[in-house]
Amino acid sequence: MKHLLLYCRPGFEKEAAAEIQDRAGQFGCPGFARTKDDSGFVIYECFQPDDADLMARKLLFRELIFARQMVVVYAEVKDLPLDDRITPLLAAAEGMELCGDIRVETPDTNDGKELSRFCRKFTVPMRQALRGKGLLTRNESHTKPVLHLFFMANNHAILGYSYTFNNSPFHMGIPRLRFPADAPSRSSLKLEEAFHVFIPRYEWDMRLTSGLRAVDLGAAPGGWTYQLVSRGMMVTAIDNGPMAQTLMDTGQVKHYREDGFTWRPARKNTYWLVCDMVEKPARVVATMAAWLVDEDCQEAMFNLKLPMKKRYGEAVHNLQQLKDKLAELGGFEVQAKQLYHDREEITVHVYRPHKVAKLQPKE
Ligand SMILES: C[S@@+](CC[C@H](N)C(=O)[O-])C[C@H]1O[C@@H](n2cnc3c(N)ncnc32)[C@H](O)[C@@H]1O
């Protein structure tokens, strides 16, 4: 029986489980989500043998909010001898379809971090051994599935695979980003990660490029504004607090000490609306939806802070409210993810694919 393995932020196993339980049910793949608090993953045990593979191909990964990665479990191997883990892992991989790449990973926990050095070192010999057995293509292939070896302890691993057209392209489902030394706040990485996760790289020169105008609500001290400015955009920053002088010195930022929930631009020339105001999700959703429906911006990226309890239910409820409000104008696509840099929150991205299709790349 194949199962699905979902990576998530430690502490959010219940949310990831509730979500996969819901989505698999709607999808017609009954099963049961198994969780352990703070483990950083969830296993969805399918009642039908082919359902895990079906979900890995057809249940859109980008629509899952709390899953960082979605892997079909092929085998779970316990009691691996520490002097030779490769032989039993190769035996377990027998019969698996040809994969094009390997990722040796761990849960995103403190125990997992202790294994990460071993995982890095283990990747090369394991890759060679899999190639020797014909289980991995000679050269990396992006059209074949990715083989995942998910180590929960140094002698215990799950062997599985994900499909490149429906997975996270990042190791452990986490884009590796370096904090820019001159960014005014660590939250800067949240917006940068959102760009990596939500905007395809080949569209960056149309959607994240100089010449575009952006509005940043709740901008101070400027971590998000920094991301927009460093991509050449002109930014209107709304916040009662002060913006970093380094950003003001670029000449690309106008700062207004106004209320982000009521301020609106005089002209309809804003491409990006970003918002990091700490407020009730319903209020943020209402504001974002109003901007989008009034066409005061073309794309929006914002956070929804989750409450302490019923986090999954609240996330789903607020996203549905947003979709209902956007239906007034139509043609919107809403994506939401709990990113690596999100703690008690999720990041939401809204855009209109047919409008993006009309954008011209910058010369
Ligand atoms: C989490 S911080 C934003 C951090 C910012 N994104 C960064 O990267 O530096 C939230 C900001 O929202 C601002 N804020 C909260 N309510 C606001 C409102 N009604 N209007 C404008 N700004 C607001 C706060 O002053 C605070 O600076």
Side-chain angles (χ1 to χ4, degrees):
M1 192 75 70
K2 285 188 199 162
H3 303 317
L4 264 193
L5 163 68
L6 301 151
Y7 307 172
C8 66
R9 182 180 184 86
F12 283 80
E13 296 79 14
K14 286 193 178 68
E15 286 69 23
E19 179 173 41
I20 194 65
Q21 193 85 51
D22 253 17
R23 299 302 314 278
Q26 293 159 3
F27 206 66
C29 295
F32 171 74
R34 197 154 48 82
T35 62
K36 194 171 141 217
D37 285 353
D38 300 316
S39 62
F41 66 93
V42 169
I43 303 240
Y44 184 71
E45 299 191 353
C46 298
F47 295 155
Q48 299 296 328
D50 298 329
D51 279 2
D53 196 84
L54 184 72
M55 282 197 284
R57 282 184 286 112
K58 299 265 171 81
L59 180 69
L60 295 181
F61 172 72
R62 66 184 154 81
E63 289 185 355
L64 294 176
I65 306 166
F66 291 97
R68 286 182 182 169
Q69 187 58 285
M70 176 163 65
V71 173
V72 179
V73 176
Y74 189 75
E76 181 169 354
V77 195
K78 292 181 181 162
D79 303 321
L80 286 163
L82 299 189
D83 55 349
D84 176 20
R85 298 171 179 92
I86 289 182
T87 307
L89 286 171
L90 283 182
E94 212 153 292
M96 197 164 149
E97 72 177 290
L98 179 66
C99 289
D101 195 6
I102 176 176
R103 292 186 206 156
V104 182
E105 303 172 313
T106 67
D108 177 29
T109 57
N110 289 337
D111 287 350
K113 279 189 189 81
E114 287 186 12
L115 288 170
S116 57
R117 206 162 143 246
F118 152 73
C119 288
R120 267 198 304 279
K121 278 169 64 183
F122 190 64
T123 304
V124 174
M126 190 69 211
R127 182 188 286 131
Q128 287 307 107
L130 287 162
R131 283 187 175 149
K133 283 272 179 194
L135 290 161
L136 208 60
T137 51
R138 292 251 144 243
N139 297 311
E140 211 170 284
S141 160
H142 298 295
T143 55
K144 298 268 183 295
V146 178
L147 187 148
H148 297 262
L149 256 182
F150 185 70
F151 274 91
M152 290 164 289
N154 63 2
N155 64 351
H156 181 188
I158 284 177
L159 173 73
Y161 58 88
S162 66
Y163 290 103
T164 49
F165 55 84
N166 197 31
N167 69 358
S168 162
F170 307 111
H171 182 258
M172 287 172 59
I174 304 170
R176 298 282 138 179
L177 303 175
R178 191 168 295 160
F179 179 66
D182 50 344
S185 77
R186 283 207 73 79
S187 342
S188 195
L189 287 178
K190 275 202 279 187
L191 188 61
E192 186 174 7
E193 182 181 359
F195 289 154
H196 282 268
V197 169
F198 293 124
I199 317 290
R201 201 63 187 235
Y202 56 85
E203 289 184 352
W204 281 25
D205 62 354
M206 292 184 292
R207 299 164 72 183
L208 292 173
T209 192
S210 59
L212 296 180
R213 286 176 187 277
V215 171
D216 185 352
L217 302 178
W224 285 29
T225 293
Y226 172 91
Q227 290 294 333
L228 301 161
V229 162
S230 60
R231 287 173 172 80
M233 294 185 217
M234 301 299 287
V235 183
T236 303
I238 308 294
D239 203 306
N240 264 322
M243 294 294 287
Q245 193 54 44
T246 45
L247 283 174
M248 300 310 298
D249 290 345
T250 62
Q252 288 169 250
V253 182
K254 276 191 186 144
H255 177 202
Y256 297 112
R257 293 179 187 269
E258 303 267 356
D259 180 358
F261 287 103
T262 53
W263 186 87
R264 286 293 187 98
R267 294 172 57 198
K268 295 200 185 292
N269 59 2
T270 304
Y271 187 82
W272 275 105
L273 171 64
V274 302
C275 171
D276 190 20
M277 291 190 286
V278 183
E279 249 293 346
K280 287 201 170 56
R283 193 163 182 219
V284 175
V285 158
T287 305
M288 298 298 106
W291 274 70
L292 287 154
V293 170
D294 295 345
E295 298 191 77
D296 272 340
C297 66
Q298 298 294 319
E299 287 201 46
M301 196 81 84
F302 53 96
N303 277 331
L304 294 182
K305 315 286 168 194
L306 299 176
M308 292 300 279
K309 286 188 185 152
K310 296 194 186 152
R311 295 185 293 201
Y312 171 65
E314 267 294 303
V316 170
H317 169 76
N318 282 291
L319 289 170
Q320 192 54 51
Q321 293 283 314
L322 175 65
K323 286 175 192 167
D324 291 348
K325 290 180 202 297
L326 295 177
E328 201 181 299
L329 188 61
F332 288 100
E333 176 118 355
V334 176
Q335 299 174 282
K337 273 264 173 233
Q338 187 181 38
L339 303 176
Y340 175 71
H341 290 95
D342 286 334
R343 289 171 186 269
E344 301 287 324
E345 64 207 342
I346 57 173
T347 298
V348 184
H349 171 228
V350 185
Y351 77 114
R352 298 170 90 196
H354 65 283
K355 291 267 183 181
V356 165
K358 289 187 193 145
L359 294 172
Q360 296 294 324
K362 230 177 153 273
E363 294 296 307

